[in-house]
């Protein structure tokens, strides 16, 4: 996890512009470099480094003697770089996984490069010989990327929007800063003036498609067919493989553990594999919640079962409320459920940074979207509509859960690893018949649970524990975190302000005092940027006025039984 930043065709002094690059310094606390591009005095790269792989030669932009005309700035991890190096006999100059991007590009161009990378990434690749700039982002947008491109060809690119919004430019109105779409690459022409012109934006991978890099995966062809035993075995093999490849790190590995199915599975498989490869330190797991909250109690049970070195962070209501503004600044969103869930994750990440030496943090993001884990999937009209909804949620992850997971950890210089969003695992799961993937017997994620039932990885009561939203599970059963937030905010926002909310904020107007409060803070830091969130996250097929699972009838009936 790093922070990348680049400008092409700047009219303003670069020494002034580079102050914007410092807005993302939290993403790379180990080192910083600012470098001009030879022959293009108004083009430059900025890089904040978190040293996780090759601590000696890992600074960026990466340049190698073999390709002196290529400049690469990337944020991410390429898990199959060694397999690619072996298959194509690449001669590496460093131990950096990202160096493979330069070799792939030289061998087959940008389309093959983006398609063959098994990992999470956002990168800027400059080819001065052919006067091209390339931008690319992984399938689910696990690594963030924003850009701004003006009509006269000034381009700014950054890991977070906050590194672009204050850039200076000669035109009176700077074009809008926007997220770069996941699963896409863009080709831009670089003019002698240093300005650029967009040539094409190409979608190189869809979540349902088996990725091209399967050809050089460590797991070979899987048994075909949809009989239940074959499917369960394939799910276990691919998930274990997803965790195994993410063990690539020179820094200590830890794991977030809410006690829910997803993070518990990740932690259990992770610890098992760490033992297999003789990692000689205990796995640290981290839970956050109020005293005796459902998440804390469940996480404690999982940690005892798997044998991790477990840390509990007790959430103090006042501390959580005080963190709201810095959380919204970090997130760059005003989405209600994202902010609620981010507060706990932000505070536990702060604890990890201050109190431990774990830096590479595994987490369970992506499972709810992939395996139909949200409570409202029980109300899906048909298996086919449930499958469509699952794909929609995956495509929008970069606006919600993946955004939350990246920003809350990156704010404290941690690197996130999310095995549930492994390209091969997700494409296999989405290839299964829609009927197999829906909730069964009143239990969501039924197929995933069933696949691990005989593995003894987790206690049965955890494997079959009903869904708890992270922002709800960290609170007590008696009072949800969202209702605690609402009680506080009710005192902060006047009724009259809410009545006139649609006049003040015509796009995505706030409907509650809570959403109004978040929007006010967002506009304070990112005025006029409300289009970054196309719509609020809300359950479907139910008449929901609040995104919390605890407001849904299914949750109430389940907890009252």
């Amino acid at each position: 996890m790093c922070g990348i930043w680049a400008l092409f065709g700047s009219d303003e002094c670069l020494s002034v512009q580079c102050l914007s690059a410092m807005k993302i310094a939290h993403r790379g606390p180990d080192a910083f470099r600012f470098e001009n591009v030879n022959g293009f005095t108004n083009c430059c790269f900025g890089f904040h480094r978190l040293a996780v792989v090759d601590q000696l030669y890992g600074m960026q932009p990466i340049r190698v003697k073999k390709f002196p005309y290529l400049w690469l700035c990337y944020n991410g991890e390429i898990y199959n770089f060694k397999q690619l190096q072996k298959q194509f006999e690449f001669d590496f100059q460093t131990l950096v996984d990202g160096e493979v991007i330069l070799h792939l590009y030289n061998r087959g161009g940008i389309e093959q490069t983006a398609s063959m990378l098994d990992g999470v990434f956002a990168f800027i690749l400059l080819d001065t010989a052919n006067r091209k700039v390339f931008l690319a982002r992984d399938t689910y947008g696990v690594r963030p990327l924003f850009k701004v491109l003006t009509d006269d060809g000034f381009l700014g690119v950054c890991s977070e929007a906050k590194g672009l919004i204050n850039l200076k430019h000669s035109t009176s109105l700077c074009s809008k800063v926007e997220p770069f779409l996941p699963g896409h690459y863009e080709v831009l022409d670089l003019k002698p003036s240093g300005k650029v012109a967009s040539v094409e934006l190409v979608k190189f991978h869809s979540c349902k498609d088996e990725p091209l890099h399967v050809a050089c995966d460590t797991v070979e062809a899987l048994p075909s067919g949809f009989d239940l035993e074959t499917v369960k075995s394939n799910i276990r093999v691919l998930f274990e493989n997803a965790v195994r490849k993410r063990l690539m790190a020179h820094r200590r590995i830890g794991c977030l553990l809410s006690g829910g199915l997803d993070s518990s599975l990740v932690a259990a498989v992770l610890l098992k594999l760490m033992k297999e490869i003789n990692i000689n330190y205990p796995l640290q797991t981290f839970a956050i919640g109020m005293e005796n909250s459902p998440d804390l109690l469940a996480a404690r049970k999982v940690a005892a079962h798997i044998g991790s070195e477990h840390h509990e962070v007790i959430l103090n209501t006042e501390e959580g409320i005080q963190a709201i503004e810095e959380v919204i600044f970090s997130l760059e969103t005003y989405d209600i459920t994202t902010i609620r869930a981010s507060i706990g994750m932000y505070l536990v990440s702060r604890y990890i940074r201050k109190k431990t030496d774990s830096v590479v943090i595994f987490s369970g993001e992506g499972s709810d979207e992939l395996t139909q884990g949200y409570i409202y999937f029980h109300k899906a009209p048909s298996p086919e509509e449930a499958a469509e909804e699952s794909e929609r949620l995956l495509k929008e992850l970069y606006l919600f859960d993946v955004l939350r997971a990246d920003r809350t950890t990156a704010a404290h210089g941690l690197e996130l690893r999310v095995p549930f969003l492994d390209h091969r695992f997700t494409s296999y799961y989405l290839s299964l018949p829609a009927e197999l993937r829906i909730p069964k017997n009143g239990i969501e994620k039924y197929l995933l649970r069933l696949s691990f039932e005989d593995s003894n990885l987790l206690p049965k009561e955890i494997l079959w524990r009903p869904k708890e939203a992270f922002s709800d599970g960290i609170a007590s059963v008696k009072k949800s975190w969202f209702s605690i937030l609402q009680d506080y905010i009710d005192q902060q926002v006047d009724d009259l302000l809410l009545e006139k909310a649609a006049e003040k904020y015509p796009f995505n107007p706030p409907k509650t005092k809570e959403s109004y409060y978040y929007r006010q803070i967002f506009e304070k830091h990112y005025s006029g940027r409300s289009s970054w969130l196309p719509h609020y996250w809300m359950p479907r097929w139910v008449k929901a006025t609040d995104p919390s699972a605890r407001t849904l009838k299914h949750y109430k009936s389940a907890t009252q039984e």
Side-chain angles (χ1 to χ4, degrees):
M1 196 281 301
C2 301
I4 60 175
W5 182 87
L7 299 185
F8 298 90
S10 173
D11 293 338
E12 297 292 325
C13 174
L14 290 179
S15 60
V16 173
Q17 299 280 49
C18 79
L19 293 174
S20 285
M22 303 315 292
K23 298 275 187 180
I24 59 161
H26 51 273
R27 298 190 70 89
D30 295 332
F32 172 67
R33 178 185 284 175
F34 182 74
E35 191 166 339
N36 288 66
V37 178
N38 304 344
F40 295 90
T41 55
N42 57 358
C43 302
C44 61
F45 289 92
F47 178 66
H48 294 275
R49 185 172 188 220
L50 178 67
V52 172
V53 175
D54 192 353
Q55 299 188 351
L56 185 60
Y57 293 108
M59 275 306 283
Q60 298 185 35
I62 296 174
R63 303 183 67 202
V64 294
K65 290 176 184 175
K66 196 170 184 181
F67 315 119
Y69 47 89
L70 296 182
W71 304 60
L72 172 69
C73 231
Y74 86 103
N75 170 26
E77 301 82 46
I78 312 303
Y79 303 122
N80 65 341
F81 78 105
K82 286 183 179 175
Q83 291 94 298
L84 291 168
Q85 181 183 16
K86 186 178 177 183
Q87 180 167 332
F88 298 122
E89 298 180 343
F90 292 147
D91 181 20
F92 274 30
Q93 190 176 307
T94 72
L95 299 174
V96 180
D97 52 305
E99 187 184 333
V100 77
I101 295 171
L102 300 175
H103 295 271
L104 280 173
Y105 170 72
N106 180 70
R107 180 184 182 276
I110 190 63
E111 174 98 36
Q112 187 192 63
T113 302
S115 302
M116 290 298 286
L117 298 176
D118 181 7
V120 293
F121 56 85
F123 69 74
I124 309 153
L125 176 62
L126 169 63
D127 179 346
T128 55
N130 294 294
R131 295 260 175 91
K132 297 286 185 191
V133 176
F134 303 97
L135 309 178
R137 191 176 182 191
D138 67 76
T139 304
Y140 297 109
V142 174
R143 290 293 174 261
L145 194 66
F146 286 81
K147 75 164 195 178
V148 58
L149 180 60
T150 66
D151 292 339
D152 67 339
F154 167 55
L155 173 68
V157 187
C158 189
S159 296
E160 298 181 20
K162 56 181 68 71
L164 299 175
I165 56 174
N166 294 318
L167 289 174
K168 305 287 188 289
H169 193 61
S170 56
T171 54
S172 55
L173 282 175
C174 211
S175 294
K176 67 176 183 177
V177 174
E178 54 192 1
F180 189 82
L181 288 174
H184 286 70
Y185 69 80
E186 185 171 11
V187 182
L188 302 106
D189 281 334
L190 179 66
K191 299 172 183 176
S193 63
K195 305 279 188 186
V196 302
S198 181
V199 177
E200 59 177 345
L201 179 67
V202 178
K203 186 171 189 176
F204 66 85
H205 186 231
S206 295
C207 53
K208 283 179 78 171
D209 300 336
E210 186 175 71
L212 277 184
H213 55 69
V214 165
C216 54
D217 198 353
T218 48
V219 171
E220 295 176 6
L222 295 165
S224 58
F226 296 130
D227 65 278
L228 195 55
E229 290 310 310
T230 299
V231 167
K232 284 160 56 179
S233 172
N234 288 347
I235 286 172
R236 288 193 302 271
V237 167
L238 288 177
F239 184 68
E240 194 166 296
N241 185 48
V243 176
R244 183 183 290 107
K245 69 179 74 165
R246 283 164 175 78
L247 289 170
M248 179 182 91
H250 293 160
R251 302 288 286 274
R252 184 166 183 163
I253 292 169
C255 188
L256 298 180
L257 179 59
S258 70
L261 174 68
D262 310 327
S263 63
S264 299
L265 265 182
V266 171
V269 172
L270 175 58
L271 196 139
K272 170 179 174 266
L273 296 177
M274 285 171 69
K275 284 179 179 173
E276 284 179 15
I277 62 171
N278 296 316
I279 289 179
N280 61 3
Y281 55 78
L283 173 67
Q284 293 181 328
T285 50
F286 304 95
I288 186 168
M290 294 176 179
E291 288 279 10
N292 297 319
S293 63
D295 277 6
L296 277 192
L297 299 176
R300 207 176 289 165
K301 195 172 287 186
V302 175
H305 183 86
I306 66 175
S308 64
E309 180 193 301
H310 193 53
H311 296 243
E312 289 185 354
V313 180
I314 303 301
L315 177 64
N316 173 302
T317 303
E318 193 176 317
E319 187 182 24
I321 287 167
Q322 283 176 348
I324 293 173
E325 180 155 355
E326 55 194 274
V327 165
I328 292 173
F329 177 72
S330 292
L331 292 175
E332 304 172 336
T333 188
Y334 52 95
D335 179 62
I336 303 159
T337 192
T338 303
I339 293 166
R340 287 177 186 167
S342 293
I343 293 167
M345 200 162 179
Y346 183 88
L347 294 173
V348 77
S349 297
R350 186 166 74 187
Y351 170 90
I352 294 169
R353 188 68 189 175
K354 285 183 176 179
K355 304 287 188 182
T356 79
D357 58 347
S358 287
V359 173
V360 175
I361 306 298
F362 279 68
S363 189
E365 270 70 34
S367 177
D368 284 325
E369 291 75 10
L370 177 67
T371 66
Q372 304 184 15
Y374 292 115
I375 298 293
Y376 71 84
F377 272 99
H378 291 279
K379 303 293 185 185
S382 69
E384 290 70 30
E385 284 188 62
E388 284 174 20
E389 173 68 356
S390 183
E391 286 170 41
R392 182 189 73 82
L393 289 169
L394 285 165
K395 287 172 187 168
E396 292 191 345
L397 266 172
Y398 76 105
L399 297 166
F400 301 107
D401 277 23
V402 153
L403 179 150
R404 163 180 57 78
D406 173 81
R407 300 303 195 287
T408 54
T409 50
H412 302 289
L414 304 176
E415 176 172 295
L416 190 76
R417 303 260 167 114
V418 282
F420 275 108
L421 292 176
D422 181 78
H423 299 163
R424 193 167 178 195
F425 180 71
T426 55
S427 66
Y428 175 74
Y429 206 96
L430 294 172
S431 76
L432 299 172
E435 178 64 37
L436 266 183
R437 293 183 271 146
I438 58 172
K440 288 193 173 64
N441 305 331
I443 300 168
E444 64 285 340
K445 294 189 262 203
Y446 187 83
L447 177 60
L448 180 66
R449 298 175 197 271
L450 200 63
S451 299
F452 287 93
E453 189 172 39
D454 300 323
S455 66
N456 198 35
L457 282 168
L458 294 172
K460 286 281 191 287
E461 64 269 30
I462 297 296
L463 188 64
W464 295 96
R465 184 188 175 202
K467 166 70 181 166
E468 260 297 7
F470 180 55
S471 56
D472 295 334
I474 62 172
S476 67
V477 173
K478 292 176 184 173
K479 194 159 191 180
S480 273
W481 174 232
F482 81 87
S483 58
I484 292 167
L485 283 171
Q486 287 172 342
D487 286 351
Y488 166 75
I489 290 165
D490 271 347
Q491 310 301 315
Q492 312 301 313
V493 178
D494 189 81
D495 291 346
L496 194 59
L497 286 175
L498 187 59
E499 282 174 31
K500 297 186 175 180
E503 293 173 35
K504 189 170 185 181
Y505 306 120
F507 183 77
N508 281 340
K511 299 282 175 54
T512 65
K513 287 187 175 183
E514 185 187 7
S515 60
Y516 189 96
Y517 184 73
Y518 298 156
R519 183 63 170 271
Q520 271 189 318
I521 296 171
F522 174 85
E523 294 289 343
K524 173 182 167 184
H525 296 286
Y526 306 110
S527 179
R529 315 279 182 176
S530 59
S531 63
W532 290 345
L533 177 69
H535 61 86
Y536 292 106
W537 193 100
M538 277 286 179
R540 293 189 69 190
W541 307 308
V542 289
K543 290 179 180 175
T545 54
D546 191 282
S548 171
R550 286 200 180 179
T551 63
L552 302 182
K553 283 182 182 175
H554 181 91
Y555 177 87
K556 288 173 182 172
S557 62
T559 55
Q560 287 162 6
E561 285 170 5

